[in-house]
Amino acid sequence: MLWTKIKRIIKTGSKSFARNGSVSVASTLVMTVTLSVITSLIFVGALLQSTLQGIKEKVDINVYLESSATDSQAESLRTALDERPDVALVTYTTAEEVLAAFRARHEGNPLIVDALDEVGGNPLEASINIRAVDPSQYQAIADFIQEKNVSGENTRNIVKKISYLDNKEAIDTLSRIISSSERLGIIIAIFFIIISILITFNTVRLAIYTSKDEIAVMRLVGASSRYIKGPFVIIGILYGFISSVITLAIFYPITYSLGNLTYNLGTGMNVFTYYLANFMQITVIVIVTGVVLGMISSYLAVKKYIKL
Amino acid sequence: MIYFDNVSKIYTDGSTALDNVSLRIEPNEFVSIVGQSGAGKTTLIKMILGEEYPTFGAVFFEEIDIHSLKKTNLNDYRRRIGTVFQDFRLLSHKNVYENIAFAMEAAGRSEEEIAVDVPHVLELVDLGNKIWNFPHQLSGGEKQRVAIARAIVNQPDIIIADEPTGNLDPVNTYEIIQILKKINDLGTTVVLTTHNKGVIDSLGRRVITMENGRVARDDKSGKYIL
């Protein structure tokens, strides 16, 4: 009996969806707009993340070592830094490697090469390059290095200079901008999602309002609340599902045409590549959002009109 | 079968729709309720359907206080009543077959029963050839016959017909009344409200006359007198 009821509810809901042509089309289109806003926010979020990540990766600090520091001492400091969870990458470059890189960089500039030869030996220091997981963590890392330089085992008095201390203000400002941008992005996303959901809810409510009298008749012939609500919930699910499919289809040509543009803007991300790479996740998010939104909107709307 | 026990209905604005009404409707009766607009006929009908609650008194259906029923029991109770209204109240997005099938589905009847009973009941109201039409493709009289078919398909104990001929021409009015009489002859109680003097006078059955929310007359074989 339960299966028969479920079958009837699905059949009735699907038929009503098809027969209420104009109302269904209008509701589906409004929901498509809602889902498009939500999908756009996914892409905007990813672009923001990618851009911020790019900026974060450009921020690093260098620890210049005393010429008296041995390879083993430098390695000890490198290992200690590597073990920290807030450090993403540590690279140790010996004084010889620094010199070789310097020479290579200024190969075409005889003035600098000659000056270097004139000085004799290697005037450049070995250095450790550190990239933190988050730019806000550089202060703690710099403090750690200084502490190691004062009291560390096998790392005492090997640090000549930490670049962070010179660039502290710029790094801190950048760190604040990144953090504010992320927060602002989330607030704007929530704002748009709420607006979109309200618009969808009201559209579905208006669509069901047209059936207000029919709901009263269903009540009068003795239909149970569940039997009345069921088909409307199915209609809501169909609005959501069809809108999701339309939204996913629309975003294919949109991201295709914007792919190179977004990459060339310096975001480090091609939206079309991102869409294809994350197609399954985006599909699940859009369909689940659409279906749940349609289902809840319908349920709440019909619940309002079912009270006689 | 139905018993109104000193029922009053006073709306929140202070207007009195029913004033201390007591009456009894027996099984297999054909009862007409007449009265001017605002006399309390529709409120009386809504009380039977459980759509309105009395301010004082109680309405009983076979010893059951209708207004003490829980929601699910109220649904079961409503399935024992067939309703026909002046404005037909058909489901506009369902065809004739589906309109009648809906009432059967709501009552938990099987697909097989629906497939047999719907064409049968449509034959009874002479609409066998309009089974796949939608309400907007039917005339007023045909719509009302669909409403009657829907009302009787679950073999209810009672048919409530609230001004069923109000929107119909004399020919259709006559046909609808004949169908209601036939239903009553087959053993179903019929409660009819109407303004149509000709209908009441031709029926020659019990007539309850309402005035200002009260029962002004109750004649066993009455005429339309206001």
Side-chain angles (χ1 to χ4, degrees):
Chain A
M1 193 61 215
L2 183 68
W3 176 234
T4 308
K5 267 192 185 168
I6 292 169
K7 263 199 310 192
R8 281 174 179 169
I9 285 171
I10 293 172
K11 199 171 131 190
T12 309
S14 313
K15 270 189 184 173
S16 298
F17 177 86
R19 286 175 184 171
N20 272 314
S22 52
V23 175
S24 297
V25 168
S27 304
T28 304
L29 285 181
V30 170
M31 211 159 190
T32 303
V33 172
T34 299
L35 293 174
S36 297
V37 169
I38 292 170
T39 312
S40 302
L41 290 173
I42 296 174
F43 285 106
V44 170
L47 281 171
L48 186 68
Q49 274 308 114
S50 169
T51 309
L52 295 179
Q53 193 57 39
I55 294 170
K56 279 180 190 175
E57 281 170 9
K58 285 193 179 83
V59 181
D60 58 9
I61 59 172
N62 274 317
V63 178
Y64 299 102
L65 303 180
E66 295 284 1
S67 50
S68 58
T70 63
D71 277 354
S72 121
Q73 284 179 311
E75 189 56 36
S76 297
L77 184 60
R78 194 198 71 77
T79 311
L81 284 165
D82 209 16
E83 283 167 356
R84 284 180 66 90
D86 52 3
V87 171
L89 188 71
V90 193
T91 318
Y92 169 54
T93 315
T94 62
E96 290 71 34
E97 286 167 342
V98 174
L99 180 65
F102 187 83
R103 277 189 185 279
R105 202 160 56 240
H106 299 287
E107 215 175 19
N109 193 336
L111 198 66
I112 292 177
V113 176
D114 288 349
L116 199 62
D117 291 339
E118 191 70 27
V119 172
N122 183 358
L124 302 173
E125 306 100 357
S127 67
I128 296 176
N129 181 270
I130 304 152
R131 192 176 297 154
V133 173
D134 190 275
S136 63
Q137 294 159 333
Y138 281 119
Q139 178 68 60
I141 295 168
D143 291 345
F144 174 76
I145 296 165
Q146 278 183 324
E147 187 198 312
K148 282 276 174 194
N149 193 42
V150 175
S151 56
E153 195 186 322
N154 201 28
T155 58
R156 223 166 290 165
N157 300 322
I158 62 165
V159 175
K160 188 178 179 185
K161 191 176 140 190
I162 304 171
S163 68
Y164 170 71
L165 301 174
D166 296 338
N167 305 326
K168 186 174 182 303
E169 211 164 302
I171 292 175
D172 286 353
T173 306
L174 197 61
S175 175
R176 275 198 301 275
I177 291 171
I178 289 170
S179 152
S180 304
S181 304
E182 284 172 341
R183 238 177 298 147
L184 189 69
I186 291 169
I187 291 168
I188 291 173
I190 290 172
F191 175 75
F192 276 109
I193 287 171
I194 289 173
I195 297 269
S196 310
I197 287 173
L198 285 177
I199 291 171
T200 302
F201 176 70
N202 278 308
T203 307
V204 173
R205 204 169 69 161
L206 277 177
I208 290 179
Y209 178 81
T210 59
S211 304
K212 197 175 69 148
D213 293 337
E214 297 208 349
I215 291 171
V217 175
M218 291 171 181
R219 264 312 214 185
L220 276 177
V221 298
S224 67
S225 296
R226 266 188 222 166
Y227 197 69
I228 297 172
K229 281 179 203 160
F232 288 102
V233 172
I234 295 292
I235 291 172
I237 290 173
L238 285 173
Y239 288 160
F241 184 76
I242 293 171
S243 308
S244 311
V245 173
I246 295 172
T247 305
L248 290 166
I250 287 173
F251 269 80
Y252 190 89
I254 290 177
T255 53
Y256 180 76
S257 57
L258 292 176
N260 287 333
L261 180 72
T262 51
Y263 189 78
N264 294 335
L265 276 174
T267 59
M269 190 184 113
N270 179 320
V271 280
F272 184 61
T273 314
Y274 178 82
Y275 186 43
L276 295 182
N278 297 283
F279 186 74
M280 279 316 289
Q281 291 99 308
I282 293 172
T283 301
V284 170
I285 292 172
V286 173
I287 290 180
V288 169
T289 307
V291 166
V292 170
L293 196 58
M295 199 166 75
I296 293 176
S297 302
S298 291
Y299 181 83
L300 293 178
V302 75
K303 199 175 165 201
K304 183 180 159 75
Y305 298 123
I306 216 164
K307 289 174 190 161
L308 272 180
Chain B
M1 185 174 215
I2 290 174
Y3 175 51
F4 278 72
D5 183 17
N6 292 315
V7 174
S8 294
K9 176 69 186 180
I10 302 161
Y11 288 107
T12 44
D13 63 0
S15 60
T16 303
L18 291 181
D19 186 6
N20 211 22
V21 171
S22 287
L23 60 90
R24 190 181 287 277
I25 296 168
E26 300 296 344
N28 306 333
E29 264 197 305
F30 193 125
V31 184
S32 301
I33 300 170
V34 300
Q36 289 175 335
S37 296
K41 305 185 298 292
T42 302
T43 308
L44 202 78
I45 295 290
K46 284 186 171 180
M47 288 277 175
I48 299 174
L49 291 170
E51 278 192 81
E52 290 279 7
Y53 282 73
T55 312
F56 303 111
V59 184
F60 294 91
F61 179 83
E62 292 175 348
E63 316 300 324
I64 304 162
D65 181 352
I66 294 166
H67 300 96
S68 68
L69 289 172
K70 285 185 182 162
K71 222 173 180 181
T72 42
N73 294 331
L74 188 64
N75 290 335
D76 293 338
Y77 161 70
R78 281 177 175 162
R79 287 182 207 129
R80 297 178 64 181
I81 302 175
T83 44
V84 183
F85 297 96
Q86 181 176 357
D87 55 357
F88 322 121
R89 299 198 192 175
L90 298 178
L91 302 170
S92 58
H93 296 293
K94 291 184 189 291
N95 59 35
V96 168
Y97 180 93
E98 289 164 345
N99 260 283
I100 297 163
F102 184 83
M104 295 184 75
E105 288 171 1
R109 308 275 291 276
S110 70
E111 296 296 335
E112 292 74 24
E113 285 177 290
I114 292 171
V116 172
D117 289 2
V118 174
H120 176 67
V121 80
L122 281 172
E123 287 301 331
L124 283 181
V125 294
D126 201 21
L127 272 181
N129 57 339
K130 304 270 179 167
I131 192 162
W132 304 117
N133 286 42
F134 284 86
H136 68 269
Q137 297 167 320
L138 302 175
S139 69
E142 287 169 337
K143 284 180 192 169
Q144 199 58 292
R145 279 187 275 162
V146 176
I148 292 174
R150 180 180 65 187
I152 61 174
V153 75
N154 284 327
Q155 293 153 359
D157 299 320
I158 180 166
I159 293 279
I160 306 263
D162 189 12
E163 310 262 8
T165 58
N167 283 339
L168 304 180
D169 59 48
V171 175
N172 277 305
T173 297
Y174 174 78
E175 283 177 5
I176 294 299
I177 295 301
Q178 291 312 306
I179 293 171
L180 289 175
K181 273 170 80 174
K182 198 159 102 184
I183 292 165
N184 179 244
D185 290 342
L186 291 169
T188 306
T189 308
V190 176
V191 177
L192 168 76
T193 71
T194 183
H195 280 119
N196 194 319
K197 186 178 188 310
V199 166
I200 298 296
D201 292 347
S202 70
L203 276 168
R205 308 281 180 100
R206 182 181 170 194
V207 179
I208 296 170
T209 308
M210 301 286 297
E211 268 178 30
N212 300 321
R214 287 172 166 267
V215 176
R217 320 162 70 90
D218 189 347
D219 303 318
K220 205 135 184 95
S221 180
K223 297 271 180 192
Y224 191 95
I225 303 165
L226 287 180

